Amino acid sequence: MRKNSNKNTRINAEVQKELANIIRGEIKDPRVSLMTSVVAVEVAPDLKTCKAWISVFGEQNSIEDTVRGLQSAEGFIRRELAHRINLRNTPEITFIVDESIAYGVRMSKLIDDEIAKIPERSDDELDGKYKEEV
């Protein structure tokens, strides 16, 4: 099975959906934040390993606690995944923190701060400036 085949894409999507459901509803570990989402999943073509990118809303220590909680619950998560999805092998899951959402929020805030520094100009001032340049 090729890495970008339709079958592999469907497996990735199904594993992502079920993994999100398991994390949201089944894990009772208090270290796992309620604001945890599964951003992406990549299952290896041989179905032995799986990389799961997760995003956690909160402070850095909350993120670290969530990753530790998910790593300790990996056996339970694999068992639940095996019950929910009929695959030849149930993959070993590696959780990776995805910080792209936090990065985007930080960049958006920086852009908004820079825009706020620009003084407001009236339409007359802008028209005058445009005429001077022409």
Side-chain angles (χ1 to χ4, degrees):
M1 176 169 59
R2 292 185 321 243
K3 190 172 184 177
N4 295 331
S5 69
N6 286 336
K7 181 179 178 184
N8 200 9
T9 303
R10 286 194 320 266
I11 289 172
N12 289 342
E14 188 66 24
V15 169
Q16 179 178 355
K17 182 181 89 170
E18 291 302 331
L19 195 57
N21 289 337
I22 292 168
I23 291 172
R24 185 179 335 106
E26 303 292 327
I27 295 182
K28 308 242 184 308
D29 192 334
R31 294 178 292 183
V32 178
S33 171
L34 296 174
M35 299 296 286
T36 302
S37 60
V38 180
V39 177
V41 169
E42 183 180 306
V43 179
D46 63 357
L47 304 176
K48 300 269 189 205
T49 60
C50 169
K51 293 179 185 175
W53 284 269
I54 59 166
S55 177
V56 182
F57 183 74
E59 300 295 322
Q60 186 64 30
N61 58 358
S62 172
I63 296 170
E64 293 167 0
D65 287 345
T66 298
V67 170
R68 278 195 294 272
L70 289 173
Q71 287 171 344
S72 71
E74 193 219 347
F76 170 77
I77 294 170
R78 283 184 71 189
R79 187 177 71 236
E80 285 295 313
L81 208 54
H83 289 193
R84 295 175 185 208
I85 302 175
N86 185 17
L87 293 174
R88 183 178 42 223
N89 297 315
T90 304
E92 258 184 60
I93 304 167
T94 304
F95 293 101
I96 302 168
V97 177
D98 181 29
E99 297 178 353
S100 62
I101 295 172
Y103 179 78
V105 168
R106 191 169 58 247
M107 284 294 124
S108 179
K109 183 181 179 317
L110 288 173
I111 290 170
D112 290 343
D113 290 347
E114 289 301 316
I115 289 174
K117 290 179 185 178
I118 298 173
E120 287 288 323
R121 294 188 177 172
S122 67
D123 289 338
D124 295 335
E125 290 177 311
L126 293 175
D127 287 341
K129 182 172 173 122
Y130 177 73
K131 289 177 184 174
E132 290 172 9
E133 291 176 357
V134 174

